[in-house]
Amino acid sequence: VICRVVNLSLESGNCDGSCFVYEWFGGMIAGPRFGDYQAGFRFGRLGYDLVEQRGLKRFAARTYMNFGNVVLPWTAHVRAGRELVRRAFEAANQSGDLNFAGHCCSHLNTNLLAAGDPLDEVQSEAERGLAFAQNMRFGLAIDRISTQLGLIRTLRGLTPTFGCFDSEHFDERAIERRFSDNPNLAFAECWYWVRKLQARYFGGDYVAAVDASLEAQRLLWISASHFETAEYHFYGALARAASCASAAADQHQQHLQALLTHHRQLEIWAANCPENFENRAALVGAEIARIDGRALDAEHLYEQAIRSAVANDFVQNEAVANELAARFYATRGFEKVARVYLRDARHCYLRWGAHGKVRQLDEVYPYLREDEPLPGATRTIGAPVEHLDLATVIKVSQAVSGEIVLEKLIDTLLRTAMAQAGAERVLLIMAQDGTQRIVAEAMTGGDTVTVHLCDEAVAEAVLPESVLNYVLRTRESVILDDAAIHSQFAADCYIHQRRTRSILCLPLLNQAQLIGVLYLENNLAPRVFAPTRLAVLKLLASQAAIALENT
């Protein structure tokens, strides 16, 4: 049917329905069926251009969503399509296309999870989407988002058993019984088994992870064009690799054969989109080399996986690659090297917000525990906002929201940011007449903090423009543990010349509008702006955006 509609459109001209069908053809047929992902992208772009340039907007929501999250991830970074998914949700609401509004909610969660966004933020987004789907009684979206939330909660350590969805919000047995009783729920069931595969893998239950992958495999036909398929191949491969060591001879061969099949698919995707898949294919290749006894190949591939994950900002994959590299070196007797990789893995899991995984590592490797414990009820800086003590929340909120004079507000904002973050230098950047200008700077000198207002152009001698431009473009925070060695930004003239260490750049957003940017740096030490400081700073940024807009 899809091919027939495409042919009719090519022969006789395009209508509104052609836009959406081009997306389907690109995302469901050209790529998954025939492996021609570049042709799939071109058809997807055609559908998008017809909406944007020809005004064929009847199915705009479906076109945006499919181009953003079904077509693009196979040829461009997964974050490239995120704004299209958000636009799709808005368009669906405006046109009354509520089914696809619900689909957009689950697809946005897919995008956020695949990109490795902070899990506390992903959970908030998923909970908003679930409430929307429940309000409109859209069962498919409810089931898919509930499963995504189950994975998020267990990664964050919010379920009684790490790696298991069971909690007051979720009952694995009940939903599995419902799926088995109703084959019409195959789409939601497929996504459930993929997310359960991920959860069990992180939990270290590799037998259950392989079982979940087999359940997902029989349903994969229904979700071939969605990124859940990529998650299935990646985590399915890792679960098989982890199972090889303890498997009997016949099972070992089965695991190895499945592992090689997963790897071949990941390599195909990596050739079309190295941004998303090079790190995944390299890590699975490293595990194959480890099993084969090719130690030198394994070393190179682990490093390639880590470098690629860092360069493309997949913190969750960087964490997994470091953890597996640590196990590899530990089994070869290189304990000191293994500890370095494990510490990096722990730090990446913390950045991601996977506190359940961090606790697991701390229990297995007690030496990894840092001086600061995981965020708890008495933690302040860096705890998730829901865990901050009331005094800190009130103090930070009042510090910026109480000022009504712009100069005093800016002074208070920069001093508060410096105190909470442990920064040496803080800049406030705001737009004036369409260009970004530095309007204030705070610096430490001995025991004092000096704040002065200014009106300076943004320049490479003052701050890393590549970092600022990334935040302005994506409206996402950037945190660099050691900027001089961070491959994505290390070539920046400012970072290269000054050998800058810790950098944090936060967007100040008010109702999705960018009000300004807060830039912080500390050149004395790396990892100053750890995730253990981010919650208060995000709260400060949110309050500051509102206060600056008001003043």
Side-chain angles (χ1 to χ4, degrees):
V1 171
I2 293 170
C3 290
R4 180 61 177 146
V5 176
V6 168
N7 283 335
L8 284 172
S9 300
L10 295 175
E11 292 167 2
S12 305
N14 297 304
C15 63
D16 291 88
S18 304
C19 309
F20 183 38
V21 172
Y22 287 143
E23 303 299 338
W24 262 357
F25 183 80
M28 297 175 64
I29 295 179
R33 296 284 183 180
F34 293 97
D36 194 342
Y37 292 95
Q38 298 303 319
F41 168 78
R42 290 195 294 273
F43 272 97
R45 184 59 190 253
L46 172 60
Y48 171 77
D49 286 344
L50 287 172
V51 173
E52 293 292 284
Q53 298 176 16
R54 300 288 183 86
L56 302 178
K57 295 184 178 294
R58 180 181 176 189
F59 302 111
R62 304 169 183 229
T63 303
Y64 291 153
M65 189 200 78
N66 278 273
F67 187 48
N69 223 43
V70 177
V71 176
L72 275 181
W74 310 107
T75 55
H77 197 291
V78 68
R79 289 192 182 91
R82 182 176 301 176
E83 189 58 32
L84 284 171
V85 180
R86 295 189 189 277
R87 287 177 62 191
F89 180 79
E90 295 172 2
N93 271 331
Q94 291 171 2
S95 66
D97 193 354
L98 294 182
N99 276 350
F100 264 77
H103 284 306
C104 290
C105 294
S106 62
H107 275 269
L108 180 58
N109 299 333
T110 295
N111 189 290
L112 295 169
L113 284 167
D117 278 41
L119 287 171
D120 58 338
E121 298 176 8
V122 183
Q123 180 172 341
S124 297
E125 191 69 57
E127 287 171 344
R128 284 193 292 272
L130 181 61
F132 178 85
Q134 289 172 333
N135 188 51
M136 57 182 286
R137 296 182 176 86
F138 186 12
L140 175 58
I142 292 170
D143 284 339
R144 295 197 309 196
I145 298 173
S146 296
T147 297
Q148 292 166 330
L149 266 173
L151 175 62
I152 296 164
R153 288 183 178 127
T154 199
L155 286 171
R156 296 191 66 205
L158 303 179
T159 58
T161 302
F162 177 60
C164 180
F165 298 157
D166 285 334
S167 67
E168 59 180 316
H169 306 283
F170 203 98
D171 185 332
E172 288 188 3
R173 289 187 178 180
I175 197 168
E176 288 171 17
R177 282 196 300 269
R178 191 159 65 84
F179 286 147
S180 65
D181 292 341
N182 190 347
N184 292 324
L185 300 178
F187 199 169
E189 184 182 5
C190 178
W191 283 29
Y192 167 80
W193 288 115
V194 171
R195 298 307 179 184
K196 183 172 180 177
L197 158 63
Q198 291 179 263
R200 292 298 198 268
Y201 175 78
F202 280 114
D205 188 349
Y206 304 124
V207 173
V210 169
D211 289 342
S213 74
L214 293 173
E215 294 288 352
Q217 184 180 21
R218 67 180 173 82
L219 299 164
L220 214 59
W221 60 271
I222 204 169
S223 192
S225 57
H226 297 88
F227 206 84
E228 278 70 17
T229 301
E231 305 285 29
Y232 156 78
H233 281 288
F234 182 51
Y235 287 95
L238 297 181
R240 294 285 189 171
S243 302
C244 282
S246 59
D250 57 334
Q251 291 180 324
H252 181 279
Q253 191 57 37
Q254 291 176 8
H255 288 315
L256 187 58
Q257 190 58 48
L259 175 57
L260 294 172
T261 301
H262 288 307
H263 186 231
R264 280 194 295 271
Q265 181 60 70
L266 290 168
E267 284 191 312
I268 291 171
W269 288 329
N272 285 279
C273 184
E275 296 93 336
N276 289 337
F277 297 106
E278 180 190 36
N279 68 90
R280 291 168 165 88
L283 183 54
V284 173
E287 288 288 270
I288 294 171
R290 173 185 63 79
I291 294 168
D292 290 345
R294 295 180 283 112
L296 188 59
D297 289 343
E299 289 179 11
H300 289 311
L301 286 166
Y302 283 125
E303 287 304 310
Q304 181 185 349
I306 293 168
R307 283 196 305 271
S308 179
V310 170
N312 295 290
D313 200 18
F314 290 107
V315 67
Q316 79 281 27
N317 296 345
E318 183 187 351
V320 174
N322 274 293
E323 184 182 1
L324 291 178
R327 293 182 193 173
F328 165 73
Y329 284 108
T331 57
R332 298 177 63 211
F334 296 105
E335 288 296 333
K336 189 171 182 178
V337 176
R339 289 189 176 208
V340 172
Y341 280 101
L342 270 178
R343 286 195 176 95
D344 283 350
R346 185 186 191 276
H347 178 62
C348 291
Y349 284 125
L350 271 175
R351 283 173 53 203
W352 190 25
H355 299 300
K357 181 64 180 180
V358 175
R359 292 190 187 101
Q360 181 200 60
L361 289 177
D362 287 349
E363 290 171 2
V364 179
Y365 311 100
Y367 63 82
L368 286 176
R369 292 190 180 93
E370 299 174 340
D371 293 336
E372 292 182 331
L374 281 175
T378 60
R379 292 290 297 144
T380 55
I381 294 173
V385 172
E386 63 268 23
H387 290 167
L388 293 177
D389 69 83
L390 185 59
T392 299
V393 174
I394 293 173
K395 181 180 177 181
V396 171
S397 298
Q398 290 181 342
V400 293
S401 61
E403 294 289 354
I404 60 174
V405 178
L406 181 59
E407 292 79 6
K408 290 184 178 180
L409 169 62
I410 292 175
D411 184 275
T412 301
L413 168 61
L414 268 61
R415 290 179 186 275
T416 305
M418 183 167 281
Q420 293 292 342
E424 284 188 297
R425 180 169 175 256
V426 181
L427 299 176
L428 176 62
I429 298 104
M430 299 182 72
Q432 295 181 5
D433 299 325
T435 62
Q436 299 299 322
R437 309 283 294 179
I438 300 171
V439 299
E441 179 182 32
M443 296 187 69
T444 57
D447 295 329
T448 62
V449 175
T450 303
V451 179
H452 73 272
L453 302 180
C454 55
D455 183 15
E456 299 178 8
V458 170
E460 65 180 29
V462 183
L463 81 166
E465 290 184 280
S466 62
V467 174
L468 175 62
N469 290 334
Y470 181 88
V471 173
L472 292 172
R473 184 175 70 254
T474 65
R475 300 187 180 186
E476 297 176 354
S477 302
V478 169
I479 180 170
L480 304 182
D481 298 330
D482 200 339
I485 63 172
H486 194 288
S487 58
Q488 185 176 357
F489 301 105
D492 188 286
C493 291
Y494 181 89
I495 294 174
H496 179 69
Q497 292 172 3
R498 299 200 178 203
R499 303 296 296 173
T500 310
R501 306 300 297 275
S502 300
I503 286 178
L504 174 62
C505 199
L506 290 165
L508 307 181
L509 300 170
N510 182 20
Q511 296 182 346
Q513 297 299 312
L514 186 68
I515 308 302
V517 173
L518 208 56
Y519 169 82
L520 304 91
E521 71 178 30
N522 187 312
N523 292 323
L524 297 178
R527 299 184 179 177
V528 170
F529 308 128
T532 51
R533 297 183 183 270
L534 279 181
V536 171
L537 292 172
K538 287 181 179 179
L539 174 63
L540 175 64
S542 175
Q543 293 290 332
I546 297 170
L548 286 168
E549 182 77 359
N550 290 340
T551 54

